[in-house]
């Protein structure tokens, strides 16, 4: 992992359980089912960090013994937007923690000639502008798809945005934070570099293929 200085907008999640599970996730011998389970568990733990500053309000409830004022979440609930297809591997774990969250999807592919991300699918809640939107993708490699997804969500009216990934490359962090300096980024590790094929090194391979057993 790199020791590069990170921008203030980037949070490295160092919780021991997250780091332990990430090590298991990286291993070549980890099966598809185990990889999927670990990704789900890590994303649930990440969701604690991503949501630690959600606003609360007080409401009156009845316990079995008496009435009291107790805190509940204030305002609209979250919206989690998955960058297809691999983003769904993080989405499910976060929904385990916040089952009432709304869900959006954005599909992007890279044009083989221009290398520019091209949108092929977008489905968002109508009130996305009123929600905190967490965009999820396991890998922040070149950063171009993540930056394009955030730009598209801004066009759709989203104002409160965060980005979460399992692994990032220094190149991807640089691209994303230059394009969207105000968007908080959460990751479990920033690895050494991208190789010539835009794979994160040492990385964990292709997250989508490992999640779904494809090549």
């Amino acid at each position: 992992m790199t020791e590069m200085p990170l921008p203030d907008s980037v949070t490295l999640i160092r919780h021991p359980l997250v780091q332990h599970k990430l090590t298991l996730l990286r291993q070549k011998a980890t099966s598809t089912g185990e990889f999927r389970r670990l990704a789900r568990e890590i994303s649930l733990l990440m969701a604690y960090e991503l949501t630690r500053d959600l606003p609360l309000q007080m409401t009156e409830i009845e316990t079995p013994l008496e009435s009291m004022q107790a805190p509940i979440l204030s305002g609209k609930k979250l919206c989690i937007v998955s960058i297809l297809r691999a983003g769904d591997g993080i989405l499910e774990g976060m929904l385990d923690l916040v089952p009432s969250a709304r869900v959006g999807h954005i599909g992007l592919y890279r044009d083989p000639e221009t290398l520019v991300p091209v949108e092929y699918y977008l489905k968002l809640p109508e009130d996305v502008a009123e929600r905190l939107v967490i965009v999820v993708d396991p890998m922040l490699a070149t950063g171009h798809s993540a930056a394009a997804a955030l730009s598209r969500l801004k066009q759709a009216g989203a104002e409160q945005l965060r980005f979460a990934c399992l692994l990032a490359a220094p190149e991807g962090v640089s691209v994303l934070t230059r394009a969207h300096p105000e968007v908080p980024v959460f990751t479990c590790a920033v690895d050494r570099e991208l190789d010539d094929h835009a794979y994160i090194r040492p990385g964990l391979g292709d997250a989508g293929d490992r999640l779904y057993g494809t090549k």
Side-chain angles (χ1 to χ4, degrees):
M1 292 184 292
T2 182
E3 295 300 325
M4 65 172 283
L6 296 175
D8 291 341
S9 60
V10 178
T11 297
L12 188 59
I13 301 175
R14 300 180 183 272
H15 192 286
L17 284 175
V18 169
Q19 294 300 316
H20 171 77
K21 292 175 185 294
L22 180 61
T23 295
L24 299 177
L25 194 75
R26 288 181 185 271
Q27 294 181 24
K28 181 179 179 179
T30 299
S31 68
T32 297
E34 186 73 357
F35 189 96
R36 193 178 298 143
R37 181 184 67 80
L38 287 164
R40 188 166 184 152
E41 290 176 355
I42 294 170
S43 59
L44 186 151
L45 294 169
M46 291 180 71
Y48 281 99
E49 188 69 35
L50 281 151
T51 58
R52 66 166 53 248
D53 60 350
L54 292 181
L56 294 170
Q57 66 184 39
M58 303 304 290
T59 188
E60 186 166 341
I61 64 169
E62 292 285 338
T63 78
L65 300 177
E66 61 181 88
S67 62
M68 68 170 288
Q69 291 288 315
I72 60 169
L73 290 175
S74 176
K76 293 281 188 179
K77 301 295 190 295
L78 301 176
C79 175
I80 305 172
V81 175
S82 167
I83 299 179
L84 295 173
R85 66 181 165 147
D88 282 0
I90 296 182
L91 170 68
E92 295 302 327
M94 292 195 175
L95 288 176
D96 287 342
L97 184 68
V98 195
S100 61
R102 299 297 187 266
V103 174
H105 287 90
I106 182 166
L108 300 165
Y109 71 89
R110 187 182 303 174
D111 185 283
E113 294 185 2
T114 65
L115 302 181
V116 173
V118 178
E119 178 188 316
Y120 66 86
Y121 184 81
L122 181 70
K123 188 72 172 180
L124 303 171
E126 291 184 357
D127 58 355
V128 68
E130 302 172 39
R131 297 178 182 273
L132 170 61
V133 179
I134 299 174
V135 181
V136 297
D137 197 1
M139 314 295 277
L140 180 60
T142 67
H144 297 304
S145 292
L150 290 170
S151 294
R152 185 65 182 88
L153 287 163
K154 287 179 179 179
Q155 292 174 12
E159 297 180 354
Q160 304 176 71
L161 288 160
R162 296 177 185 181
F163 180 81
C165 61
L166 300 177
L167 285 183
E171 297 89 338
V173 170
S174 178
V175 166
L176 186 59
T177 55
R178 282 203 309 267
H180 303 282
E182 82 290 353
V183 175
V185 177
F186 296 79
T187 186
C188 303
V190 179
D191 279 9
R192 185 179 69 246
E193 62 185 356
L194 290 181
D195 65 18
D196 293 340
H197 302 286
Y199 276 89
I200 298 174
R201 296 281 186 151
L204 52 74
D206 186 295
D209 285 345
R210 296 197 68 188
L211 278 164
Y212 303 117
T214 55
K215 290 186 178 179

